[in-house]
Amino acid sequence: MNYRLLSKLLSRITFLIAATMVFSLPWAHPSLQPGNIRSGGFEWGGFFALLGSISISLIVGGVFWYFGKTAAGPLYRREAMAIVGLSWILATVLGALPYALSGTCTGEDSNGDSVLMQPMDWIFEAQSGFSTTGATVLEKLEKPELVPRCILFWRSSTHFLGGLGIIVLFVAVLGQGSAGKTLMRSEMPGPSKEGTQARMQHTALVFASIYCALNVVLTICLKFCGLSWFDSLCHAFGTLATGGFSTYDGSIGGFEAVIGASAVLWAEIFIVVFMILAGTNFTLLYFLVVLRKPGKLIADVEWRTYVMIVVGVTLLVVVFGYVNQDAGFYTEGNFWGSIGSALRQGGFQVVSILTTTGYGSATDFDSWNSFGRGVLLLLMFIGGCAGSTGGGMKVIRHVLFVKILHLELEKSYHLTVVRPLRIGGQPVEDQELRKNILVYFGLVLLIFMLSWIVLVAIEPSSTWESRESGSSEHKLLDSASAVAATLNNIGPGLGTVGPKQNYAYFSPAAKLLFTVLMMIGRLEIFVFVVLLLPGFWRSR
Amino acid sequence: MNYRLLSKLLSRITFLIAATMVFSLPWAHPSLQPGNIRSGGFEWGGFFALLGSISISLIVGGVFWYFGKTAAGPLYRREAMAIVGLSWILATVLGALPYALSGTCTGEDSNGDSVLMQPMDWIFEAQSGFSTTGATVLEKLEKPELVPRCILFWRSSTHFLGGLGIIVLFVAVLGQGSAGKTLMRSEMPGPSKEGTQARMQHTALVFASIYCALNVVLTICLKFCGLSWFDSLCHAFGTLATGGFSTYDGSIGGFEAVIGASAVLWAEIFIVVFMILAGTNFTLLYFLVVLRKPGKLIADVEWRTYVMIVVGVTLLVVVFGYVNQDAGFYTEGNFWGSIGSALRQGGFQVVSILTTTGYGSATDFDSWNSFGRGVLLLLMFIGGCAGSTGGGMKVIRHVLFVKILHLELEKSYHLTVVRPLRIGGQPVEDQELRKNILVYFGLVLLIFMLSWIVLVAIEPSSTWESRESGSSEHKLLDSASAVAATLNNIGPGLGTVGPKQNYAYFSPAAKLLFTVLMMIGRLEIFVFVVLLLPGFWRSR
């Protein structure tokens, strides 16, 4: 392992994070904060915490830079995997500094006293941001005395950075020559990447540009709905990164008190549209917007499947919600009104979960009927399209998975017929691909099952019993949903981690497990799991 | 498709079932029935139902025989798969006749009136027997006026027949020459079979002999504990087939009232030992008993893993049961007494679930802490060893699965090193095997997820709300456990299908789903799923 080269590359990551922190500084000033929630004066605590974090990052970056000054030699695959894994760990630690130094509180205890975030909370919140999960341990977001606005802006900034992957930005912005391609391979979501090195760097730049442009457009749309610049920016970051951090405890449901019911409808529509775009392969958006070829979008098997899932599942959820007379899906004697509000709610939540954003609207989806909740749990494992900012397993992997199983079943009685795997009519004759997709599903299954039973073992039942809504009878299901929601970078799950709940009540050990799962999920399993194998670090 | 050949082979299955039914006739006589539960007089209803079923089977078999009289031509792989799938469907229908004709009741309604079994109940109970699942819709087993003893004996006989697979018996008893090997391949549990045709038939005979011998020995052991011949035979059938049908509502927990507490301890020990044997590869038992080579048993990787799972999980369950102060695991101020009873209970249930038997002891495992319940749910997917009567996915597949994933992870950073897959030090260089194991896991995952969400969709929440212990909040978890318990041929699951509950309350649609799942599970996924593909039936 070429440690000097690792060190050189880690120094750049560190400087990039320090640079991003600077943009959170201005929000310490009350005049920039949202009119409805404004701190009493200048947020000196948050401001100095950010300044301190920037300083520490610069020092750490300097040490890495010094050690890596004489770095030489090519970047091998092993080094590339190591740098990706280590840079996420480093980013998480550095990203946690502002929470640590500002004395941000998770909420209030039963006496109304504020409760400071603990070390595992800092790490959890930072990882949740970078991995674009959006799971939170902060309970009273609307109280600036508990959570400074500038820290809240940093929290949403981690989504922005995490959205396309720090490494993609790294390649695009800082350039890495031969290293770029290897790094992109490890970090870019989705099973297949191709193209030359120069094209790779060009692609990264195009992706970053589309990403920034979408952020700008959504920010303006939300501002138009009546939100402050602060809220508009934070929610644009959360949407386009498919993250899900909000600045309100009630997520998007919290907008109503600020901008009124009719404006919320528009905000929800904008957010749904941009969530769908964020879950779309950015290559297709490039064809659509830059090259004006919408046909590519329609012709893409993955995108068609993605849209069909959104439409199909929304309709199912609406039907079951109406028949079960769920709140928000059914109003006595008002059929069309019921259907309208059911479509709004069902559509929003299906898109929010499928794209792995995790925003919640007015009605808690945890109050839906069992079918609706079960379907959302399954959707968590599907995720967005490859090459999007969406997490999860990706639609294309599911398309391939079903096709592969079908072909293998056919082979079991038609031994002589060997049929190629086709996507959209084109044969994909990479025999390794078949196995790789199956291995990927196998790993997700194994990690999910092990994490689930470990969580059930380490988390005391009292975590459930102490909550108003909770009962330890739900421990098995809630734990499964918490693992699914973190591993797939969604955020909210069912029950005790439902959209109106949060992760604050878990033990530090469980939070560590969630942090690891979020990183595993964001790095598409392989990179992180490989880092845990002792054989990986042994020199060859 | 050579339909005449299919017909010829189906006729033999039919005659075999008719022959087995004859052995249930004697139990209609009160003198043969257990002393504690004896019908008032000769069970004419059950007797004539069995006679009727035998007659119908003979007629059906005659028709098949007539149609297949002129059958010729070899048995191809496709025909072999068709015959296995169809013979299970046929067996299920014929096996359901005694329930249908005898007017057996599922239980009593709230007014104390007896409730007749419905058509889906007959099919469910027959499939549950043949597939050695042991899930039941009968609630008042101890009332001969609701369930004739001779019908109850038939119910346990279906376990006996299903145990080694009707086809194995068929090969061994009736001989099928070239067909034998192909049939055995489809039906014998486990991923790999080898050997010549003659050896295959010899193996089938040896397996059947060991199986019968074990049944005889356990029957004598149980008789020794004080049970009647009737109960001893039925529970031996249930144990050695890893089925789980009991003649008491309380399963093995029902023994205490009959033979007293101290004899129950012995009965449990005998049953645990024989469950472990039933879950062991019969080839190893052959080496142990016939060839006197116990070294083979110890050297076998699968068997070692199987025993380690039993020991390891039992210890975990005991520790968590004691710490959580679960009933039966913890007695205030009596440490050693607690540990003793915890080991007894934990060990029994772990073995019962792992081997896919599904017998329950005195304490309901559904009352265990979440960790214990969760671990049992995971165990359901492991199952016994290949070449045993145990269901589930089989230990060897899990061993291979973990090894394959590990090798693939290594490959992702060590592209140049290709390591062979090894089992017990021996390289297994069947490249197809790697893919087949992964495909198998993929299919189980897909079938499990789809069945789960379909069950949640079709089963009304009122099924949960109407039960004493139930709440529709548990619908998602209970449904998952019901699918797991039927697909893996266990029987009891969690909550509303827990060991002290049963499947009577489900809708006919759900019972049909369970019936299909039990068959899919018993036929190791491929055979049944292939039958559902339209391409399979199209002539080539």
Side-chain angles (χ1 to χ4, degrees), chain A residues 17-88:
Chain A
I17 289 171
T20 311
M21 282 180 184
V22 173
F23 292 94
S24 298
L25 289 171
W27 306 95
H29 198 280
S31 68
L32 287 173
Q33 295 169 358
N36 53 319
I37 304 169
R38 192 166 278 179
S39 54
F42 190 81
E43 290 172 335
W44 290 110
F47 188 80
F48 281 117
L50 284 164
L51 275 188
S53 307
I54 293 168
S55 313
I56 295 174
S57 300
L58 291 176
I59 294 168
V60 170
V63 171
F64 277 126
W65 171 82
Y66 183 81
F67 185 71
K69 220 169 33 167
T70 58
L75 185 71
Y76 289 112
R77 191 174 169 79
R78 284 208 315 165
E79 271 89 18
M81 294 181 92
I83 182 83
V84 170
L86 292 177
S87 66
W88 275 88

Side-chain angles (χ1 to χ4, degrees), chain B residues 308-384:
Chain B
M308 281 185 328
I309 294 171
V310 168
V311 174
V313 175
T314 301
L315 291 180
L316 277 175
V317 162
V318 165
V319 169
F320 276 84
Y322 184 83
V323 171
N324 283 280
Q325 312 196 348
D326 283 354
F329 283 87
Y330 178 86
T331 316
E332 183 79 44
N334 183 355
F335 179 75
W336 291 110
S338 298
I339 295 300
S341 96
L343 278 173
R344 176 179 168 182
Q345 271 211 49
F348 187 90
Q349 284 310 335
V350 166
V351 170
S352 172
I353 296 293
L354 179 67
T355 59
T356 74
T357 309
Y359 274 140
S361 61
T363 309
D364 186 349
F365 67 72
D366 199 40
S367 70
W368 291 8
N369 61 81
S370 294
F371 176 80
R373 295 166 77 225
V375 161
L376 289 185
L377 196 54
L378 288 184
L379 278 189
M380 289 187 182
F381 285 93
I382 295 183

Side-chain angles (χ1 to χ4, degrees), chain B residues 318-523:
Chain B
V318 165
V319 169
F320 276 84
Y322 184 83
V323 171
N324 283 280
Q325 312 196 348
D326 283 354
F329 283 87
Y330 178 86
T331 316
E332 183 79 44
N334 183 355
F335 179 75
W336 291 110
S338 298
I339 295 300
S341 96
L343 278 173
R344 176 179 168 182
Q345 271 211 49
F348 187 90
Q349 284 310 335
V350 166
V351 170
S352 172
I353 296 293
L354 179 67
T355 59
T356 74
T357 309
Y359 274 140
S361 61
T363 309
D364 186 349
F365 67 72
D366 199 40
S367 70
W368 291 8
N369 61 81
S370 294
F371 176 80
R373 295 166 77 225
V375 161
L376 289 185
L377 196 54
L378 288 184
L379 278 189
M380 289 187 182
F381 285 93
I382 295 183
C385 297
S388 75
T389 67
M393 296 173 73
K394 309 287 176 301
V395 174
I396 188 70
R397 284 210 185 86
H398 288 269
V399 172
L400 289 170
F401 183 66
V402 171
K403 276 178 196 261
I404 290 167
L405 292 185
H406 187 244
L407 285 177
E408 294 291 328
L409 277 173
E410 265 193 345
K411 243 175 61 182
S412 72
Y413 63 89
H414 254 199
L415 282 173
T416 47
V417 183
V418 178
R419 286 222 257 159
L421 186 60
R422 286 168 191 278
I423 308 178
Q426 297 293 315
V428 189
E429 249 342 311
D430 180 1
Q431 276 296 324
E432 282 292 291
L433 178 66
R434 284 200 195 190
K435 202 171 58 189
N436 289 347
I437 292 286
L438 294 170
V439 167
Y440 185 86
F441 273 79
L443 282 172
V444 170
L445 180 67
L446 199 65
I447 292 170
F448 174 74
M449 289 299 172
L450 284 180
S451 308
W452 173 62
I453 201 70
V454 166
L455 179 61
V456 170
I458 62 176
E459 189 62 23
S461 298
S462 54
T463 304
W464 277 262
E465 283 148 12
S466 63
R467 309 285 289 279
E468 287 168 54
S469 58
S471 146
S472 63
E473 290 180 18
H474 301 138
K475 188 173 173 185
L476 287 177
L477 183 64
D478 289 2
S479 298
S481 87
V483 170
T486 47
L487 179 60
N488 294 307
N489 301 139
I490 319 270
L494 303 178
T496 194
V497 294
K500 305 280 176 196
Q501 313 286 331
N502 61 66
Y503 287 76
Y505 296 87
F506 281 96
S507 63
K511 283 173 185 160
L512 178 62
L513 176 68
F514 292 137
T515 304
V516 171
L517 286 174
M518 291 189 278
M519 202 180 303
I520 290 179
R522 184 63 184 83
L523 295 178

Side-chain angles (χ1 to χ4, degrees), chain B residues 92-214:
Chain B
T92 306
V93 173
L94 297 176
L97 288 175
Y99 303 117
L101 302 179
S102 63
T104 299
C105 297
T106 56
E108 289 168 341
D109 63 16
S110 50
N111 301 326
D113 295 331
S114 52
V115 180
L116 277 178
M117 284 173 90
Q118 298 302 305
M120 236 1 268
D121 294 332
W122 310 332
I123 297 291
F124 178 96
E125 200 76 9
Q127 180 58 54
S128 175
F130 283 122
S131 64
T132 73
T133 304
T136 187
V137 294
L138 304 182
E139 272 198 299
K140 300 275 181 189
L141 296 172
E142 281 99 336
K143 295 202 170 180
E145 62 274 26
L146 298 180
V147 190
R149 296 300 98 176
C150 57
I151 296 298
L152 213 50
F153 193 84
W154 166 244
R155 178 166 168 269
S156 291
S157 305
T158 55
H159 271 344
F160 180 81
L161 268 184
L164 268 185
I166 296 174
I167 302 297
V168 172
L169 283 172
F170 183 59
V171 174
V173 179
L174 307 171
Q176 257 311 308
S178 69
K181 192 173 165 186
T182 329
L183 289 172
M184 284 268 288
R185 260 183 202 282
S186 311
E187 171 113 359
M188 277 288 297
S192 77
K193 302 107 200 179
E194 50 202 52
T196 63
Q197 183 181 308
R199 212 183 116 202
M200 210 75 173
Q201 202 164 336
H202 174 71
T203 309
L205 264 171
V206 169
F207 278 25
S209 313
I210 295 177
Y211 181 64
C212 293
L214 289 173

Side-chain angles (χ1 to χ4, degrees), chain B residues 263-328:
Chain B
V264 169
L265 174 60
W266 282 104
E268 281 184 22
I269 290 171
F270 287 133
I271 289 176
V272 163
V273 170
F274 280 82
M275 285 196 289
I276 292 176
L277 291 177
T280 299
N281 190 330
F282 275 34
T283 316
L284 297 176
L285 295 182
Y286 176 70
F287 275 110
L288 180 71
V289 180
V290 184
L291 306 182
R292 314 242 164 190
K293 284 187 187 167
K296 282 272 181 187
L297 200 67
I298 314 296
D300 188 69
V301 174
E302 185 182 24
W303 196 76
R304 282 212 311 261
T305 312
Y306 169 66
V307 171
M308 281 185 328
I309 294 171
V310 168
V311 174
V313 175
T314 301
L315 291 180
L316 277 175
V317 162
V318 165
V319 169
F320 276 84
Y322 184 83
V323 171
N324 283 280
Q325 312 196 348
D326 283 354

Side-chain angles (χ1 to χ4, degrees), chain A residues 466-477:
Chain A
S466 64
R467 308 285 288 278
E468 287 168 55
S469 58
S471 145
S472 63
E473 290 180 17
H474 300 138
K475 188 175 173 184
L476 286 178
L477 183 64

